[in-house]
Every structure is written in structure tokens, then in C-alpha cells.
Amino acid sequence: MLQDYHFNGILADDMGLGKTLQTITLLVSDQGKGSSIIVCPASLIYNWQHELELFASNLRIQVVAGNAKERKELIEQYTSYDVLITSYDLLRRDLEIYEGCKFFYQILDEAQYIKNPGTQAAKGVKQITAGFKLALTGTPIENRLSELWSIFDYLMPGYLYEYSCFKKELEQPILKSNDEAAAKRLKQLIAPFILRRLKKDVLNELPEKIEEVRIARFDAKQQALYDGQVVKTLKLVQSQ
């Protein structure tokens, strides 16, 4: 529906409710309409490749990795693939090559990576041209409301106003004064563009999350390496 009306959105389901599988279903349903790009943390690139190969083996998938020359060749052939997968850092390095590329979908996984609009990661993803933008994150707000603003600034720049206006009219009244009217207004603004399900509402039989803290101590070699790095960093800081 959002795509039909030329809006963008956030899939903010709790972890474990299948954001990856829902996204793959979306990609499969629109196969042949254009090339899409998935941007994720470097540690998840090959997980996305594995999941796509497992659940959508008919899609032509390409991981954009390797050295600069190899990545350039892959990006220049982007129309030969249904889905490109790259990391936030590599996207930032390859922005010039992406100029002129027009993607059907741009999908950000772990979209809290762009919670600070001043970072190169946040600035980089905004320079990609795509027909529909989808942000995946189970934590659209981790610490501050400005993080939500940053994601919306990627999805629909200006929808939540300039940040100075957002901060004055919504963020500060909500955080400092617990302004219910401001909170209600913000909820009304963002609700149509966020799909969020909680695990307790979907899978009642699951127990609460169990957390266990385990301490892993360094061995002698690791401790010596760590101590050396601490000394080096202190000297660096003190020399500034």
C-alpha cells in the first residue's frame, strides 16, 4: 500500500518475527520489475546471501564485496541482478559508482545504523535512487527520539520537519515535559508508516527473553596485546 501511494516505511517487528523472510517475499513478488539493493552491517552480508539462496533461489543475487576494482565491475552490471547486497561502509566508499543507478527497492537492514544523521553511513544511503525505501529495525528508537527522526529523514525527507523544528515541537516537549498532546501527535504522524508487532502479541507461548552474562577472561597473550593497545591509545590521546 505504501509503495502504491509513493510513500516509504519501516518494518519494525520484534527480533525473531521474520523481518528477513517478509522482505524476501516482497522481493520475490516483484521479481523482474527492476534491480534492488540491500544495505546491511558487514557481518550480515553473507547471512542475507544465504537466506536469499535458501528461500528465493530463483532470484539472481550478487554480493558487492572484494577490492575496489571488483566492486566497481559488479555495480556497473547491477541490472544483471535482481538483488545486490552490500554493507554500509562499502556503499559509502562506492557512492560515485552508484551515481546513475536506479533501484526498484532500497532496503536497509539494522536501520538503527543511520540513527545519527551526521554520519557518513546516513548520508550515503540517502544518495541512492530507489523507487521504494524500506527500513528494517526492531529498535527504531534505542535512546533518543532523534534516532526515529533520522530514519524518517532517509525515508521521506521533510516529513517530520527539519530537525530543529522536530526537536522544538515534539522531542523536547515529550522528553522534558511528558507532553501527552505532543506524544499523540507524533504517534499519529508515524503510525501509517510503521509496521510493528511484538513477540508477546504474536507468539504467546514463548517465554520471556532469558539473558545470561558470562565473563570470558583473556589468556596471557591476549592480555599483553590488550595492555599494549591501551598504552598506545593513551599516548595518542595525550599527544593531541
Side-chain angles (χ1 to χ4, degrees), residues 65-149:
N67 60 42
K69 182 176 181 296
E70 292 170 337
R71 298 198 309 272
K72 183 175 186 295
E73 292 174 353
L74 292 173
I75 296 167
E76 288 175 343
Q77 301 171 23
Y78 81 101
T79 55
S80 300
Y81 307 104
D82 294 309
V83 184
L84 294 186
I85 309 168
T86 192
S87 71
Y88 288 98
D89 182 56
L90 292 179
L91 180 79
R92 176 181 59 81
R93 298 186 201 179
D94 299 332
L95 276 176
E96 288 187 10
I97 312 171
Y98 282 105
E99 288 184 10
C101 295
K102 295 182 179 180
F103 291 100
F104 192 73
Y105 288 127
Q106 182 188 20
I107 296 161
L108 302 190
D109 191 19
E110 301 293 343
Q112 63 270 24
Y113 263 66
I114 65 165
K115 65 183 181 182
N116 183 343
T119 62
Q120 293 301 312
K123 292 177 181 178
V125 296
K126 294 174 186 177
Q127 294 184 46
I128 300 298
T129 301
F132 180 73
K133 297 178 179 180
L134 179 66
L136 312 180
T137 174
T139 52
I141 303 173
E142 287 185 307
N143 300 302
R144 302 180 300 276
L145 285 178
S146 60
E147 298 168 357
L148 180 67
W149 180 89

Side-chain angles (χ1 to χ4, degrees), residues 11-237:
L11 178 55
D13 283 356
D14 255 352
M15 183 176 68
L17 295 184
K19 291 189 290 295
T20 300
L21 189 56
Q22 290 180 74
T23 303
I24 292 173
T25 303
L26 181 68
L27 292 168
V28 170
S29 68
D30 285 320
Q31 184 178 7
K33 295 183 179 180
S35 303
S36 298
I37 184 168
I38 296 171
V39 187
C40 61
S43 60
L44 297 179
I45 284 179
Y46 294 104
N47 180 69
W48 269 100
Q49 181 186 26
H50 172 73
E51 296 293 310
L52 283 161
E53 290 174 347
L54 181 64
F55 293 110
S57 57
N58 56 318
L59 290 179
R60 297 166 297 166
I61 305 158
Q62 180 59 59
V63 171
V64 180
N67 60 42
K69 182 176 181 296
E70 292 170 337
R71 298 198 309 272
K72 183 175 186 295
E73 292 174 353
L74 292 173
I75 296 167
E76 288 175 343
Q77 301 171 23
Y78 81 101
T79 55
S80 300
Y81 307 104
D82 294 309
V83 184
L84 294 186
I85 309 168
T86 192
S87 71
Y88 288 98
D89 182 56
L90 292 179
L91 180 79
R92 176 181 59 81
R93 298 186 201 179
D94 299 332
L95 276 176
E96 288 187 10
I97 312 171
Y98 282 105
E99 288 184 10
C101 295
K102 295 182 179 180
F103 291 100
F104 192 73
Y105 288 127
Q106 182 188 20
I107 296 161
L108 302 190
D109 191 19
E110 301 293 343
Q112 63 270 24
Y113 263 66
I114 65 165
K115 65 183 181 182
N116 183 343
T119 62
Q120 293 301 312
K123 292 177 181 178
V125 296
K126 294 174 186 177
Q127 294 184 46
I128 300 298
T129 301
F132 180 73
K133 297 178 179 180
L134 179 66
L136 312 180
T137 174
T139 52
I141 303 173
E142 287 185 307
N143 300 302
R144 302 180 300 276
L145 285 178
S146 60
E147 298 168 357
L148 180 67
W149 180 89
S150 183
I151 296 176
F152 267 91
D153 189 53
Y154 153 73
L155 293 171
M156 296 180 291
Y159 178 71
L160 289 184
Y161 322 114
E162 293 295 323
Y163 178 62
S164 57
C165 179
F166 175 83
K167 182 178 181 180
K168 179 181 178 181
E169 295 192 13
L170 295 171
E171 184 177 21
Q172 288 183 337
I174 292 171
L175 296 182
K176 292 186 176 181
S177 308
N178 197 26
D179 189 320
E180 292 185 4
K184 182 179 179 181
R185 179 183 171 195
L186 177 59
K187 184 176 181 180
Q188 289 175 332
L189 283 169
I190 65 175
F193 308 103
I194 299 180
L195 172 62
R196 180 166 177 80
R197 299 177 301 159
L198 302 180
K199 192 174 290 185
K200 65 181 179 63
D201 299 327
V202 178
L203 300 170
N204 306 354
E205 69 276 13
L206 290 181
E208 291 295 320
K209 180 171 64 175
I210 299 172
E211 296 185 3
E212 182 177 345
V213 178
R214 295 196 178 191
I215 298 175
R217 302 191 181 280
F218 291 149
D219 60 29
K221 185 177 180 181
Q222 291 171 325
Q223 188 67 55
L225 180 63
Y226 178 83
D227 292 341
Q229 189 63 40
V230 170
V231 172
K232 180 181 177 182
T233 303
L234 284 173
K235 288 181 178 179
L236 178 64
V237 171

